[in-house]
Amino acid sequence: MNQSGAQPIPFSRSSSPALGRDVILSARGVVVGFGTKMVLENLDLDVYRGEVLGFVGGSGQGKSVLMRTILGLTPMKDGSISVFGKDLGEASAEERTAIERRWGVLFQQGALFSSLTVRQNVQFPMREHLKLSQRLQDELALLKIEMVGLPRDAAEKYPSELSGGMIKRAALARSLALDPDLVFLDEPTSGLDPIGAAEFDQLIYKLKETLGLTVYMVTHDLDSLHTVCDRIAVLAERKVLVTGTIDDMMHYDHPWVKEYFRGARALRRA
Ligand SMILES: Nc1ncnc2c1ncn2[C@@H]1O[C@H](COP(=O)(O)OP(=O)(O)OP(=O)(O)O)[C@@H](O)[C@H]1O
Ligand SMILES: [Mg+2]
């Protein structure tokens, strides 16, 4: 029994069998803190190729910190993280650049550069990583912009001229700029109305199906968890408390998990 009195579920328990699945991201024993305050302790997580993993947890629990740690933007005090089979702590500068080319990111804050148009935002990672002519970059950027369901004329607009939903789509287009294998999305549907959020969920699902993307999605959105996520990981008590399907979550005995998946808010959804 752990502190909360909940029965611990073995790591990676899931109705979809983990055996034989290709692990695209693996975190082991991750410890992250700021000063004396520990945010993550002894955290383990696996993400499988081709899945949409929904990452949930209370506000301030460390979801964004973990994403930033995986991306190498926040240092770890201990532990290891491997992506595409390579331990990031042991990767050379060239290996690191090669890995960064294979992932795309949509941050919770500051999704787009305000001084650049949508097209220039989408081209930003291309300029950093690819040597392409401007004409080719323009063509590719327009392709991504259309892929996320934005009209072509959005390309020459600045973020301040777009609605919240359009900004999310543009940020998604930028995360897809380099044809990634893996995308990290931090609260992609927050701030959208339910219809906008549902459309965004459908888009994520379509991209997963058509591009074979693996999606790591931090979310508070119960609808997203029900409709697009293959598996869910819950962050609580500074670690990944449990992973599994939505059905596993419905039966998991932990106060936060129960309240979140079966509490008043969850029932209103039904
Ligand atoms: N650079 C930093 N320096 C000090 N503390 C930080 C820093 N970044 C995050 N924290 C702290 O780490 C904790 C986890 O923050 P984080 O942003 O990961 O929460 P979250 O789970 O993403 O929450 P939300 O759902 O509200 O986005 C918070 O207490 C936050 O104040
Ligand atoms: Mg966050």
Side-chain angles (χ1 to χ4, degrees):
M1 297 277 260
N2 60 24
Q3 277 175 339
S4 62
Q7 295 291 339
I9 285 190
F11 180 62
S12 279
R13 175 187 182 274
S14 166
S15 307
S16 34
L19 274 179
R21 297 190 71 180
D22 189 3
V23 175
I24 200 166
L25 184 155
S26 170
R28 288 293 176 272
V30 169
V31 180
V32 180
F34 302 98
T36 52
K37 183 187 162 189
M38 285 302 149
V39 177
L40 306 173
E41 275 182 309
N42 208 14
L43 178 144
D44 292 342
L45 177 68
D46 283 331
V47 180
Y48 301 116
R49 186 179 297 281
E51 75 173 348
V52 178
L53 179 85
F55 198 80
V56 299
S59 192
Q61 293 294 303
K63 301 179 300 294
S64 296
V65 164
L66 178 62
M67 201 177 109
R68 293 179 63 83
T69 304
I70 294 168
L71 298 171
L73 302 170
T74 297
M76 279 189 285
K77 290 189 188 296
D78 202 1
S80 62
I81 296 173
S82 301
V83 182
F84 309 127
K86 183 78 205 167
D87 185 329
L88 297 181
E90 291 171 2
S92 65
E94 291 81 47
E95 286 170 330
R96 169 98 212 167
T97 307
I99 289 167
E100 285 176 2
R101 268 187 65 163
R102 293 178 62 192
W103 73 37
V105 187
L106 190 161
F107 287 106
Q108 186 172 14
Q109 260 114 27
L112 294 175
F113 298 115
S114 56
S115 60
L116 302 181
T117 63
V118 169
R119 176 179 55 76
Q120 289 165 337
N121 264 284
V122 174
Q123 288 172 346
F124 195 84
M126 297 179 189
R127 284 189 206 288
E128 238 180 320
H129 288 281
L130 309 175
K131 287 191 177 61
L132 297 176
S133 69
Q134 186 60 45
R135 203 178 61 84
L136 205 53
Q137 282 192 39
D138 288 347
E139 275 177 28
L140 279 176
L142 276 177
L143 199 72
K144 306 293 172 190
I145 288 165
E146 287 185 340
M147 191 187 272
V148 298
L150 284 173
R152 278 176 90 93
D153 67 2
E156 299 311 320
K157 292 199 165 133
Y158 288 90
S160 61
E161 301 173 282
L162 303 177
S163 72
M166 290 170 91
I167 288 177
K168 297 279 186 192
R169 283 175 190 263
L172 184 66
R174 188 174 64 184
S175 77
L176 298 173
L178 301 174
D179 295 328
D181 295 315
L182 169 64
V183 285
F184 295 92
L185 311 176
D186 196 348
E187 304 270 7
T189 58
S190 72
L192 299 186
D193 66 49
I195 295 171
E199 283 174 3
F200 200 94
D201 284 342
Q202 286 310 313
L203 175 61
I204 305 272
Y205 184 79
K206 199 176 91 193
L207 293 173
K208 175 197 111 152
E209 291 290 302
T210 54
L211 305 177
L213 268 182
T214 305
V215 181
Y216 177 110
M217 178 162 71
V218 177
T219 184
H220 279 294
D221 192 328
L222 274 168
D223 286 322
S224 303
L225 293 166
H226 279 269
T227 54
V228 284
C229 295
D230 298 300
R231 236 163 34 101
I232 293 160
V234 177
L235 182 67
E237 299 166 20
R238 292 184 291 283
K239 61 181 189 293
V240 174
L241 185 76
V242 56
T243 60
T245 61
I246 191 93
D247 200 44
D248 294 330
M249 299 303 131
M250 293 294 197
H251 298 99
Y252 190 64
D253 189 15
H254 177 275
W256 189 87
V257 179
K258 261 166 115 167
E259 178 55 32
Y260 193 79
F261 289 97
R262 286 184 280 160
R265 187 168 154 264
L267 291 176
R268 271 201 304 277
R269 184 190 170 272

